Structures are given as C-alpha cells and as structure tokens.
Amino acid sequence: MNYHNVQFERSFGTSDQLPPSDLPEIAFAGRSNVGKSSMINKLFNRKQLARVSAVPGKTATINFFHADGIRFADLPGYGYAKVSKGEKRRWSELIEGYFAQERNLQLVFQLVDMRHPPTADDLTMVNFLIDREIPFVVILTKKDKLSAKQQQDRLNALREELPYADQITMIPFSAEKGDGVTEVKAIIAEIEADCAGDFPE
C-alpha cells in the first residue's frame, strides 16, 4: 500500500448516513483521548489527516479515509464523561450502528492506553468484539511515556486484565517515536493481500 495515496472521504454523525460498504474496511476504536488521531496521522505520515485535540471527545463523527482500495474508519472516542447524555446516546448509536450494519469489516484496531489498566468501557468494547467474532488487534498507545521496565510490567499485567489475552495480538505503539508502525503496516499488508480479489476493477 502506498500510504501517501490516502484521501479523506467524509464524516458522518448518525449511522443512517453511513455509505454502503463497497470496500474492505479497517476501523480504529478506543476511548476519548487515547491517541486514535495521532496513530492515524503517524501511520499515513500526515499531520492533519485526522484532527488531533487535547480536548477529549472531539471526534463525534465516524471519519472515513481510503487508500489503495481499503477504507479506514475512525470511530468516535467513547467514555468521555463531560458531554451531555443526548450526545453520549448519539455516539453510542453511531458506533453500535456501524457494527450492526453489513460491512466488509476486516479488522478493528482497538486502542488502549498502555500506561493504565483498561477502563470498564475498554473491556466492554473488547468483549463486544470477542462476542461478535470481529477480528481485532489491541494497540497499546503512549508507549513512549513509560520506561522499558514499566512497559514490561504493564504487558505482564495486561495478560491478566484483558479477557483471552493469550489469544490477542497486542502491539505497543508510540505516535511520537513511530514504535509499532512497522507491525501495524504488516497487518494491513496481510489484509490487503487477502482482499486483493475484493477490490473493484
């Protein structure tokens, strides 16, 4: 995949606005301020492809990008307390509506802040993906904020904190230093190869 070919498509605020799933899709999910936008920008080597904000809960839409026949979906961050109940319901409907549709979803990159145990919302999301049998990889963000020993301690703890941890691929990631980018791109390349026959002529 030529990551320089990525193009922003559109943003959608309700699930009934979502376009048909005519390409293989990869989604990015995680709590507010976990680093989804930073990961996407690092992956595609763009500073403003996904908007980065210091204010949690800024991404309140599903934002679609595509590159070389694969569509990427940046899902709204969940778990941010300081928004109205109505806005929380809309976010929930948007995320649940996305997964409820017949979409050509190949993988979810589920982001978890490596510095802390998974939140209750993180565990709900992981269990949802397991129950729905949706393939996913856990991306452990903000690796650069921890020492090597702290990283190892957190990896050991996550084996107890995450359900079925021994069966989950976990990739420590740093948007600052680029750690984990090669591993993520290798996974995307596998999906690209597997889906080669799915791309429109």
Side-chain angles (χ1 to χ4, degrees):
M1 172 178 290
N2 184 345
Y3 285 85
H4 296 291
N5 283 344
V6 68
Q7 294 181 4
F8 172 76
E9 290 184 316
R10 284 184 65 189
S11 298
F12 300 92
T14 60
S15 63
D16 58 7
Q17 297 175 336
L18 297 177
S21 184
D22 57 353
L23 292 173
E25 287 183 16
I26 296 173
F28 297 84
R31 70 170 178 79
S32 297
N33 223 27
V34 74
K36 281 192 287 89
S37 297
S38 296
M39 177 186 176
I40 291 168
N41 288 336
K42 188 66 178 180
L43 195 57
F44 291 100
N45 199 27
R46 296 278 189 90
K47 289 186 177 179
Q48 292 296 327
L49 181 64
R51 293 180 202 152
V52 178
S53 174
V55 181
K58 194 73 173 177
T59 303
T61 55
I62 294 181
N63 301 321
F64 284 109
F65 314 87
H66 76 268
D68 289 357
I70 292 183
R71 179 169 286 123
F72 298 87
D74 179 13
L75 304 182
Y78 54 74
Y80 183 55
K82 296 181 182 179
V83 294
S84 69
K85 288 183 179 178
E87 189 70 354
K88 280 187 183 177
R89 280 195 298 271
R90 187 179 68 79
W91 290 2
S92 177
E93 184 278 331
L94 185 56
I95 296 171
E96 290 174 11
Y98 172 82
F99 285 112
Q101 292 181 1
E102 289 292 326
R103 307 200 69 81
N104 189 2
L105 183 59
Q106 300 296 313
L107 185 75
V108 174
F109 286 118
Q110 173 61 38
L111 278 65
V112 173
D113 190 330
M114 190 176 190
R115 299 172 298 175
H116 311 292
T119 66
D121 288 321
D122 290 330
L123 294 174
T124 296
M125 191 70 195
V126 168
N127 280 310
F128 171 83
L129 295 170
I130 291 170
D131 291 344
R132 292 288 188 94
E133 298 184 349
I134 297 171
F136 70 96
V137 168
V138 170
I139 303 295
L140 301 171
T141 62
K142 311 194 182 187
K143 171 190 173 184
D144 53 285
K145 307 294 185 186
L146 298 174
S147 68
K149 181 181 185 304
Q150 289 171 325
Q151 290 172 30
Q152 191 56 56
D153 288 346
R154 286 300 307 133
L155 283 170
N156 292 338
L158 280 158
R159 294 191 179 99
E160 302 295 327
E161 294 162 355
L162 285 174
Y164 303 101
D166 58 329
Q167 301 174 42
I168 295 174
T169 298
M170 288 185 267
I171 300 176
F173 191 92
S174 168
E176 290 287 325
K177 298 184 177 179
D179 297 341
V181 169
T182 299
E183 292 89 336
V184 169
K185 287 186 174 180
I187 290 170
I188 294 172
E190 285 183 28
I191 292 171
E192 189 178 19
D194 290 344
C195 296
D198 295 347
F199 301 147
E201 295 294 332

